[in-house]
Amino acid sequence: MADDNPIRFGIIGCAEIARKVSRAIHKAPNSTLYAVASRSIEKAKQFAVKNGLSETVKIYGSYDELLDDPCVDAVYMPLPTSLHRHWGVLAAQKKKHLLLEKPTALDLDELDMILEACESNGVQFMDGSMWYHHPRTAKMKELLSDSQLFGQPKSIHSSSTYAPGPEFLEKDVRVKPELDALAQNSAGVILSCTACLNWDKEETVATFHCSFLSHETMDVAISGSNGSLHLEDFIIPYQESSASFDFTSGAKFVDLHIGWNVKPEKVQVASELPQEAMMVQEFARLVKGIRDSGCNPDSKWAKISRMTQLVLDAVKKSINIGFKPVCL
Amino acid sequence: MADDNPIRFGIIGCAEIARKVSRAIHKAPNSTLYAVASRSIEKAKQFAVKNGLSETVKIYGSYDELLDDPCVDAVYMPLPTSLHRHWGVLAAQKKKHLLLEKPTALDLDELDMILEACESNGVQFMDGSMWYHHPRTAKMKELLSDSQLFGQPKSIHSSSTYAPGPEFLEKDVRVKPELDALAQNSAGVILSCTACLNWDKEETVATFHCSFLSHETMDVAISGSNGSLHLEDFIIPYQESSASFDFTSGAKFVDLHIGWNVKPEKVQVASELPQEAMMVQEFARLVKGIRDSGCNPDSKWAKISRMTQLVLDAVKKSINIGFKPVCL
């Protein structure tokens, strides 16, 4: 159902992921792609052609021009992370709502500058984490919140790995310290990282593993006092139209411990829109509330981004002090 | 196919797990249960009745009597861990081959005493880890060794958790420091533990999580440079007759990163015998080689147990020094 007054998005930066999000803006019923900006007008034009954008989409050869266009309601910003502070703050000052690609900032200080600019200018902030917005995630949350079927959370393990190959490891923005990666002394950048998180009073533990050196994995394994949940495609589902996870509750070993009383149940969740379109739709819904109905920005998404950054900073600190624990 | 000269097992200690292994000895074609010993003859008799043992099985009211019986070829020892050093060494000195329940010892010094006693007395040693012996494990190893399909190992995560409940946490042998558990200062025993292992030069990382406080999980997730492997029942398969794991190789995200080119393939492996019977069969095969053909004991299993104990000791040390890294 078309919206007769959709949120008009401008995209700042023509990164590869902007292709996916421009498609998502097209699919989200309350959004429209209004403008695209690159540092060169040629690159922006190529992006428009490559992605079959409508000829009505404005093409800008500088980020400033896009931010100065009063018709742009919101900005999607897939710039290298080191540029987020400058352009994120400026976008907020120009009263553009900000959908900021992850990682959001180089550290918490930088992120806080961006979040404060958004807050003081009354614009909505959200980072570009797509999987939160899949209906599968809502279904997972429902089961994980069930005190009978799942109980208290005890352990969480997740992974996000892929092996883009040697050329990427030399050249991609994500492995250039001055652009995107967390530099780790003279040895260069962190290409693989495993971390362990403890919650002192709750007997809960989490581990995560991220790597540019390993085959594609996107695992989540969560166990609680009464149940457990597993999936292997949590960031990018295997398919767009539906996704699943395994849920097990009340598992016991049978007599003599020669088997289990139950096997995991596959929970399948259909999705009318791709998760990134649902992300855009949710962001645009909040922006419309502000633009058209006088609502305040929703601080929920800033809080989530801030917690993520707090953990990342602590992991980096732990690495820098010789893998010792860091308290938050 | 019945063996007309099977290995004659004596079981020392009537722990719950001895029920499972006495069944396994019955099922293994080259083994027979010859004797059972408990600290009281009544307890041993009850065990024989409860498990429907043949009336020909000898019942002993002390461990010494069983070890002094010259007809006993091999001993299966599911005693509390703190008793392993004493009885394990004594069994070896009495020239009994030793199938020792895990955990094998309280620390490496104790395990080394047991292993040295086995070596100097020419008896076979094996610990009671059953899952090594499932044909699924061999199939996993085959795929994990494939330099094309799997490549170099990069990360391993495993879990072993279950929630036996408050009564167990008060009374079971596994949570009594003087019997079985690793005591951790005045706070009591370790009921939940997460550890991270790094191999410096190989960019490989492993994490494991063990807990008495969480729902049943037995996860293994392994990723390499070209493939990944997942299963959720690695210690005790869901069913006896066959077991499976998921294997993925060459996974890539499709254009725009809106899905994957492949999904995990379920690899199903049938098993004629339960894995614990295959463990007994393999142990008895080695013992027969020594007893009947003048072969030497196979040191492979001692080496595996020793590596496990090395890691456990390092984890305990890391906990004791405030969760700092320990080098091996």
Side-chain angles (χ1 to χ4, degrees), chain B residues 7-25 32-33 35-37 47 63 66-67 72-79 84 87 91 96-102 126-130 276 279-280 283:
Chain B
I7 296 303
R8 294 175 298 269
F9 275 85
I11 295 181
I12 285 193
C14 294
E16 185 68 15
I17 196 165
R19 297 180 58 211
K20 182 174 183 173
V21 176
S22 72
R23 172 175 174 267
I25 292 168
T32 189
L33 182 56
V36 174
F47 181 85
Y63 305 152
L66 188 145
L67 291 180
V72 171
D73 295 311
V75 160
Y76 166 63
M77 191 175 286
L79 295 174
H84 285 188
W87 292 105
K96 308 305 186 195
H97 303 278
L98 182 60
L99 180 59
L100 182 62
E101 198 42 77
K102 61 199 162 355
M126 183 184 277
D127 79 34
S129 298
M130 299 164 176
E276 57 273 18
M279 172 184 76
V280 170
F283 178 72

Side-chain angles (χ1 to χ4, degrees), chain B residues 58-78:
Chain B
K58 287 206 174 181
I59 309 292
Y60 286 118
S62 79
Y63 305 152
D64 284 306
E65 286 175 273
L66 188 145
L67 291 180
D68 284 331
D69 185 330
C71 292
V72 171
D73 295 311
V75 160
Y76 166 63
M77 191 175 286

Side-chain angles (χ1 to χ4, degrees), chain A residues 91-103:
Chain A
Q93 288 170 345
K94 301 275 184 179
K95 310 293 183 193
K96 308 303 184 194
H97 303 278
L98 182 60
L99 180 59
L100 182 63
E101 197 43 77
K102 59 195 165 0

